Amino acid sequence: MNADSSRSLYDLKFAEIQALLKEWGEPVFRAKQIWEWLYVQLAASYDAMTNLPKPLRDRLGAAHPLGRLTPRIDLLSSDGWTRKILFALPDRAQIETVLMEYDTRNTVCASTQAGCAMGCTFCATGQGGFQRNLTSGEIVEQVLFFERELRLTNPQSPTTNHQVTNVVLMGMGEPFANYTALLDALKRLSDPIGYNFGARRITVSTVGLVPMIERFTQERSQVNLAVSLHAATNELRASMLPINRRYPLEVLIPACRAYTEITRRRISFEWAMIEGVNDTPAQARALAQLIKGLLCHVNLIPLNPTHGYGGAASTRERIAAFRATLDEARLPNSLRVRRGIDIHAGCGQLRQVANRER
Ligand code: SAH
Ligand code: SF4
């Protein structure tokens, strides 16, 4: 394997580290040591890997940087429960990662792309356009960053206990448009000899790339699937999510249904509540009709206002009326509490603001 400094150590699979060591004439057991430094001890530097000979650490460091994320902006919400980091990547692309702390949970919301090409009108990431796919290592590193930070604040907890309890791929980007890196990252996060994070505690959210939903169904993964629905008629959905022109509801919903039938897993439908747009009684009824009998849960999220979109979040009354229609149709639903509005914690919003203020 050639030295390839564009890939960080987090980008390498276990077998690739083994191959690298073999090529360098190093004992292969070192691969396990390196893996443990990366994913069990969460070493923040090569210097911390004290059971590796210094020349090997130097050689590894010259061939592969340990990580590629540099925190640029670090914000804590006024209530102290939401922390958002804007990371710079070596090519100056930027991504956002959010940590949401709850009483018993710590959820990391990670990005899968720098920017996004899907152009959803109400989304700050979509408004900013697409830069590039993240590598698997860049996805994994976001989670490990917060795991490390949380361990520092709770030093007495054993390293075998995860401080991060949930991971959602709902940051910047469309995960299924970066499918290979996404799957590599998911695999690495749940590797039993590494970070060993439970796949059932991970959720991937897609805008509705039907062929990828079909492919994901075949993976038989324990990772949860969420689909951004937001509208129950093609005309409205296409006006908000341009991808609906390519994969309209009549192909999207059957793909979701097949997913639940084949995997026997519940799907989550996300619905940003936008005043007067998709919070009408007619949309609620259309939604109930559309997903009748499908093993699912509807997640309602009041819109986070963004610079490039004029809509407002639905009022409490309208949300209550919408939910009443879903309840009547016996559709499980919940209202997600908005977190970190004061730190622009919505998808892609911090980068939008940071670039505006520069
Ligand atoms: N690209 C994927 C995952 C990232 S977006 C997807 O679209 O599903 C994560 C969720 O946030 C999606 O449901 C998305 O529609 C929603 N979202 C984006 N911008 C929003 C905003 N301004 N207010 C509320 N939800 C938003
Ligand atoms: Fe991309 Fe998701 Fe934003 Fe749409 S909502 S632009 S798919 S990140």
Side-chain angles (χ1 to χ4, degrees), residues 10 38-39 42 140-148 195:
Y10 292 115
L38 288 176
Y39 298 110
L42 307 184
V140 167
E141 214 185 318
Q142 295 170 64
V143 179
L144 300 186
F145 176 90
F146 278 114
E147 179 70 43
R148 200 181 287 125
Y195 186 49

Side-chain angles (χ1 to χ4, degrees), residues 87-350:
F87 288 108
L89 306 173
D91 57 356
R92 308 192 59 156
Q94 295 173 331
I95 54 164
E96 302 177 359
T97 315
V98 179
L99 172 70
M100 290 165 283
E101 295 189 56
Y102 303 83
D103 281 346
T104 55
R105 281 181 296 142
N106 289 317
T107 300
V108 171
C109 177
S111 296
T112 53
Q113 299 181 307
C116 184
M118 300 296 147
C120 304
T121 51
F122 54 92
C123 170
T125 308
Q127 290 157 16
F130 177 70
Q131 280 80 57
R132 69 168 170 85
N133 278 332
L134 298 190
T135 67
S136 61
E138 288 165 341
I139 299 171
V140 167
E141 214 185 318
Q142 295 170 64
V143 179
L144 300 186
F145 176 90
F146 278 114
E147 179 70 43
R148 200 181 287 125
E149 296 276 305
L150 287 166
R151 283 186 194 175
L152 286 174
T153 51
N154 302 299
Q156 54 282 67
S157 62
T159 49
T160 44
N161 272 3
H162 292 109
Q163 299 292 311
V164 173
T165 59
N166 299 79
V167 171
V168 296
L169 282 320
M170 293 189 185
M172 297 170 87
E174 167 49 38
F176 281 178
N178 186 15
Y179 194 84
T180 307
L182 171 75
L183 258 82
D184 281 351
L186 295 175
K187 208 168 154 200
R188 214 159 302 143
L189 286 172
S190 47
D191 181 358
I193 63 156
Y195 186 49
N196 195 21
F197 194 82
R200 286 169 182 271
R201 292 181 168 271
I202 306 178
T203 301
V204 173
S205 174
T206 177
V207 70
L209 300 185
V210 170
M212 296 298 133
I213 293 175
E214 291 167 349
R215 195 163 155 191
F216 189 70
T217 303
Q218 297 309 324
E219 309 280 352
R220 298 290 202 277
S221 170
Q222 301 289 315
V223 169
N224 303 299
L225 180 62
V227 172
S228 297
L229 199 53
H230 302 307
T233 50
N234 278 326
E235 194 187 355
L236 180 59
R237 192 165 187 270
S239 74
M240 300 162 67
L241 289 73
I243 196 68
N244 194 77
R245 290 190 201 107
R246 190 124 141 243
Y247 305 115
L249 292 168
E250 56 274 21
V251 297
L252 175 62
I253 299 301
C256 295
R257 210 175 278 281
Y259 168 84
T260 61
E261 285 166 1
I262 293 168
T263 65
R264 304 198 178 278
R265 296 181 65 81
R266 184 179 298 268
I267 211 165
S268 298
F269 288 115
E270 288 159 280
W271 194 284
M273 296 292 291
I274 311 174
E275 172 88 34
V277 176
N278 63 353
D279 64 354
T280 59
Q283 278 294 314
R285 284 193 301 272
L287 172 61
Q289 188 62 32
L290 187 68
I291 58 178
K292 201 164 61 184
L294 208 154
L295 181 61
C296 69
H297 183 98
V298 179
N299 241 325
L300 304 167
I301 317 137
L303 179 79
N304 248 318
T306 55
H307 286 293
Y309 182 73
S314 303
T315 58
R316 271 220 225 127
E317 296 69 34
R318 292 182 75 101
I319 293 175
F322 195 91
R323 294 189 72 181
T325 305
L326 301 188
D327 289 342
E328 256 166 55
R330 293 177 196 281
L331 270 180
N333 63 87
S334 54
L335 181 66
R336 205 187 292 161
V337 184
R338 286 193 289 182
R339 299 284 299 257
I341 296 241
D342 56 333
I343 56 167
H344 312 288
C347 163
Q349 286 183 295
L350 179 58

